[in-house]
Amino acid sequence: RLPRYVRGHAGTIIADLGGQIYPEVSARLEGDGAERLYTVRFTAQELWGKDSNPKDTLCIDLWEPYLEVTE
């Protein structure tokens, strides 16, 4: 599941981990339901505001269905 603290925040994809078994489908015993998995980097300021250290980042693996393309 998508952690609430990253929902609606902009990050940068830094790694494509390829197709993986998607747990949302697999848990319902509906097959493997392979989806792409990405490592996404967020700045601390993006997640927790301007008072956060500008050098800090958080990297998290997220499934493609959780992502939205932004310009």
Side-chain angles (χ1 to χ4, degrees), residues 10 12 27 29 35 43 47 50 63:
T12 302
L29 304 175
E35 292 283 352
T43 66
L47 296 176
K50 65 179 179 146
W63 301 99

Side-chain angles (χ1 to χ4, degrees), residues 3 6 29-30 38 61 63:
V6 299
L29 304 175
E30 297 173 359
Y38 300 96
D61 294 339
W63 301 99

